[in-house]
Amino acid sequence: LLKRIQIIDTCLQRRIVTNAVEPSNVLKNEDNGEQEGWKAFDAIQLERQEQAERSVLISCHSKTNEKKFLKYLSIHGDIKNSFFYESYGTYAVVEFANQESIASLHEAVNLPVVSNESVVPFKSRLLSLRSLGAAVVPNSQTGPKCKPQATIPLTELIQRLSKEESIDHQVTSLMKAYQVTEENTRLRFLVCSLLKDIAAAYFPECNVRPFGSSVNGFGKLGCDLDMFLDLDSISGRNVPMPKAGLVLEYQMKRSNSERAVTQSILTVVGECVDRFGPGCVGVQKILNARCPLVRFSHQPSNFQCDLTANNRVAMKTSELLYLYGCLDGRVRGLVFAVRCWARVHSVTSSIPGAWISNFSLTVMVLFYLQGRAAPLIPTLDHLRSLAGPADKSVIEGNDCTFVSDLSKIQPQDNTETLEQLLCGFFHFYSTFPFARKSINIRKGKEQTKPEVVPLHIQNPFEVSLNVSKNVNAAQLERFVALCQEGAWQLEQSATLTRGTGHAPSPWGLAALLVPAAGTPGIKGRKKRKREPASERIKSLLESLKNKV
Ligand code: GTP
Ligand code: MG
């Protein structure tokens, strides 16, 4: 009976976690068995892209009268969806029901009137609303209600979580507060669509697709926007070659490597974004990176953007993470909690360096879940064995095949709570034999390390690569020490009597998210024991040694 109660409790818990999340990626699956409303990754991408192509982004006055504004725009056609948000000013995202409305709008939009300046006559779907003379769109007293596009402050989050009654509820609450929302997802796809219009100046049939945490289900409000310039649909590429007879082919400039071609493409597209892209500022071309990219800031959306090309493996990786996240609500919950904990304690950072990346950390969580006594998720090899002919995918010689249909994956019978899983995660990595073993989600079992590096995590698809090659010994040691502390803190929480009232003291996940002493902005936390100076100097020297 106890076992059955536990199972029912876990199932309810699963539902709480999955249902509480805004359907940022149209994710409505509950248990694995019930997949009503579940959509395959590619289907969601297509739907979102199509939605974005029918949308415009309009800068407007903060007191704009929403009703009159929408009425004014509806002369171009029915409006399907709209919302306002604050960035550098107030903006509206307006989605028309039909594509023709965009053409109609373009006909009616004026060129800006400027004095002492000149404009680049590039007509995009980023517009400004002006009120002239007797205002066509009179302002209201209060202005439109804006949808938040940023996370609440950490102190507020900690207070909120401290009031929850269980760690499982805390995780749900964390996701509700921090996860990329429906509106934020729409905005991400719209920015990609605006970028596509710029890149189309050179490659009319190109596509720009988001990948990484914008679409893999683990995105936090404010995360960067990773974009992939997809040129695969350029017509003629996949036309079958006849066996005999005449054939016409394009004359194309040749280069000595794919990498050189990618660099040339990103050079010109980067230049275009810099010179003609409205709202795109601080453009940097980082072409010598392992994966060449153009980095810039898209001011109207406040997104930090990374535009790459020829990066289909990363797209496939995003799909894999999305699939794992859809298998069970606890996967997303745990990844989310661990990623937030890691960010607060500077295990991860928004700047690249010798530390663990969010991507590596996510793979570590998945690996841990595969290794539970009752595994929560299957191995990548198992997902590969379930793949159908349509799932076959080989990218640059790498086998990226895995099943894309959730219904083909048998539900796992793990009944652990998020509290148990979180605690287990910290214990697992507190004692993991990093010196000898490699983390491998393809096999779901630790493997002998193929090279001498502090942390080895096999790249799921490019199996000869280590996704955590950048991590130095000092950062790994810090991670392990923080895991030990995390396990200890959770054990303390289990035995503590929780505070009540308006501001109970942080416990459980909330306590884990309290930054260490010395971090500004957080008051009233307990001072932690610092490691001896000799240890800190040793770790600093180690980190410097690894940077050289
Ligand atoms: P955020 O920190 O929230 O941006 O997480 P993210 O998952 O988007 O990570 P990031 O922006 O660093 O990278 C974007 C995507 O690129 C990841 O989700 C992976 O699909 C891929 N990626 C990142 N780092 C690596 C790596 O070292 N190897 C491989 N193969 N792919 C990577
Ligand atoms: Mg990212």
Side-chain angles (χ1 to χ4, degrees):
L1 183 67
L2 204 67
K3 174 91 180 153
R4 286 191 68 178
I5 293 172
Q6 213 179 16
I7 292 174
I8 293 167
D9 185 48
T10 312
C11 289
L12 281 172
Q13 218 43 263
R14 282 196 203 185
R15 269 155 219 257
I16 290 164
V17 170
T18 348
N19 288 346
V21 177
E22 281 287 307
S24 59
N25 288 330
V26 200
L27 304 173
K28 286 194 177 145
N29 68 303
E30 297 186 9
D31 283 344
N32 198 333
E34 307 166 39
Q35 290 141 24
E36 246 173 72
W38 181 81
K39 284 191 178 148
F41 185 77
D42 284 345
I44 294 175
Q45 291 267 319
L46 273 177
E47 196 178 291
R48 292 280 190 200
Q49 277 172 38
E50 198 264 328
Q51 193 175 64
E53 308 237 312
R54 287 183 276 106
S55 303
V56 287
L57 183 53
I58 306 179
S59 154
C60 41
H61 194 275
S62 63
K63 295 276 164 53
T64 299
N65 183 319
E66 183 172 353
K67 224 166 143 191
K68 295 198 169 148
F69 166 72
L70 293 177
K71 192 168 167 221
Y72 170 66
L73 287 176
S74 63
I75 53 171
H76 301 287
D78 290 345
I79 292 168
K80 202 166 171 194
N81 198 299
S82 67
F83 67 92
F84 287 81
Y85 69 91
E86 299 272 0
S87 172
Y88 293 90
T90 304
Y91 286 85
V93 172
V94 179
E95 181 204 341
F96 285 96
N98 299 300
Q99 187 69 48
E100 298 82 64
S101 302
I102 300 291
S104 161
L105 194 79
H106 270 309
E107 290 284 305
V109 174
N110 292 288
L111 291 181
V113 182
V114 289
S115 47
N116 309 323
E117 274 177 318
S118 297
V119 293
V120 177
F122 172 70
K123 293 178 172 179
S124 76
R125 278 175 289 137
L126 173 59
L127 311 168
S128 298
L129 179 76
R130 305 232 179 280
S131 280
L132 306 171
V136 183
V137 186
N139 293 337
S140 74
Q141 288 292 306
T142 51
K145 194 168 180 322
C146 287
K147 296 279 183 183
Q149 304 300 319
T151 52
I152 55 168
L154 185 60
T155 35
E156 202 179 316
L157 178 78
I158 290 171
Q159 278 170 19
R160 198 180 282 188
L161 299 193
S162 304
K163 290 179 189 156
E164 296 291 351
E165 62 192 45
S166 69
I167 290 185
D168 291 55
H169 282 99
Q170 288 186 328
V171 176
T172 308
S173 190
L174 167 73
M175 291 180 76
K176 220 170 164 179
Y178 268 29
Q179 205 186 26
V180 160
T181 58
E182 163 69 20
E183 289 79 19
N184 196 258
T185 303
R186 281 173 178 265
L187 189 55
R188 284 170 188 271
F189 275 85
L190 177 52
V191 171
C192 287
S193 174
L194 298 177
L195 253 287
K196 173 191 156 161
D197 289 351
I198 298 173
Y202 286 101
F203 305 104
E205 291 156 276
C206 74
N207 199 357
V208 173
R209 303 165 64 190
F211 69 98
S213 54
S214 299
V215 292
N216 65 19
F218 302 123
K220 180 176 129 188
L221 280 173
C223 66
D224 67 355
L225 173 56
D226 303 293
M227 292 181 276
F228 158 53
L229 175 65
D230 185 356
L231 299 174
D232 280 359
S233 58
I234 302 270
S235 60
R237 196 174 174 121
N238 296 321
V239 176
M241 186 69 90
K243 294 250 159 51
L246 296 175
V247 62
L248 272 175
E249 65 177 28
Y250 289 101
Q251 284 203 12
M252 285 180 168
K253 197 125 188 161
R254 284 151 204 239
S255 211
N256 46 15
S257 69
E258 273 289 331
R259 182 176 167 82
V261 174
T262 302
Q263 286 169 328
S264 310
I265 292 170
L266 285 178
T267 304
V268 294
V269 173
E271 201 63 20
C272 229
V273 171
D274 193 13
R275 289 170 191 258
F276 307 146
C280 301
V281 298
V283 180
Q284 288 171 273
K285 289 178 229 147
I286 309 170
L287 301 176
N288 286 326
R290 187 183 79 83
C291 184
L293 66 116
V294 175
R295 178 165 288 169
F296 60 95
S297 200
H298 186 259
Q299 264 188 345
S301 61
N302 205 11
F303 290 144
Q304 179 67 34
C305 302
D306 278 351
L307 177 68
T308 59
N310 192 17
N311 197 8
R312 280 180 301 140
V313 177
M315 203 73 217
K316 213 61 198 161
T317 311
S318 304
E319 181 181 348
L320 178 70
L321 298 191
Y322 166 75
L323 191 77
Y324 272 128
C326 289
L327 283 176
D328 189 298
R330 289 171 294 173
V331 178
R332 274 205 196 131
L334 188 66
V335 170
F336 225 83
V338 170
R339 276 169 78 140
C340 284
W341 162 83
R343 187 70 188 84
V344 167
H345 298 287
S346 306
V347 169
T348 54
S349 162
S350 56
I351 349 165
W355 28 87
I356 298 173
S357 69
N358 262 336
F359 176 59
S360 298
L361 197 61
T362 308
V363 178
M364 287 171 94
V365 176
L366 296 179
F367 179 74
Y368 155 72
L369 293 176
Q370 290 172 332
R372 299 306 289 157
L376 194 83
I377 50 170
T379 65
L380 179 51
D381 269 349
H382 182 69
L383 294 182
R384 190 186 175 284
S385 72
L386 299 175
D391 295 324
K392 192 166 168 55
S393 165
V394 178
I395 302 170
E396 288 155 23
N398 300 301
D399 187 358
C400 301
T401 307
F402 61 89
V403 64
S404 59
D405 180 355
L406 198 75
S407 69
K408 290 193 187 159
I409 308 168
Q410 276 289 317
Q412 315 282 316
D413 52 12
N414 179 302
T415 57
E416 288 172 286
T417 62
L418 272 163
E419 174 166 0
Q420 290 165 326
L421 291 171
L422 187 58
C423 202
F425 172 86
F426 289 133
H427 277 293
F428 183 75
Y429 285 113
S430 293
T431 52
F432 188 83
F434 287 107
R436 291 177 290 113
K437 298 292 183 186
S438 159
I439 288 164
N440 184 318
I441 60 163
R442 189 162 272 284
K443 302 264 171 267
K445 276 206 181 88
E446 55 218 43
Q447 307 286 305
T448 305
K449 239 161 122 174
E451 52 187 301
V452 188
V453 277
L455 175 61
H456 193 280
I457 305 174
Q458 191 195 58
N459 186 320
F461 297 123
E462 295 161 289
V463 293
S464 61
L465 301 180
N466 170 17
V467 300
S468 53
K469 199 174 74 185
N470 59 313
V471 177
N472 67 21
Q475 288 299 326
L476 180 64
E477 271 172 35
R478 238 189 116 245
F479 169 74
V480 172
L482 283 163
C483 281
Q484 287 163 354
E485 193 172 324
W488 181 81
Q489 269 182 302
L490 284 182
E491 271 157 28
Q492 292 293 104
S493 277
T495 53
L496 276 177
T497 324
R498 279 161 213 161
T500 46
H502 281 308
S505 46
W507 71 276
L509 178 58
L512 288 176
L513 297 182
V514 176
T519 313
I522 306 286
K523 288 187 191 133
R525 60 178 171 262
K526 276 189 219 146
K527 231 181 163 166
R528 286 175 191 213
K529 217 177 112 203
R530 297 191 78 187
E531 55 191 357
S534 58
E535 279 304 305
R536 276 181 280 132
I537 292 165
K538 198 174 112 197
S539 121
L540 188 66
L541 283 174
E542 187 71 18
S543 120
L544 286 172
K545 203 167 79 193
N546 278 291
K547 271 191 188 146
V548 179

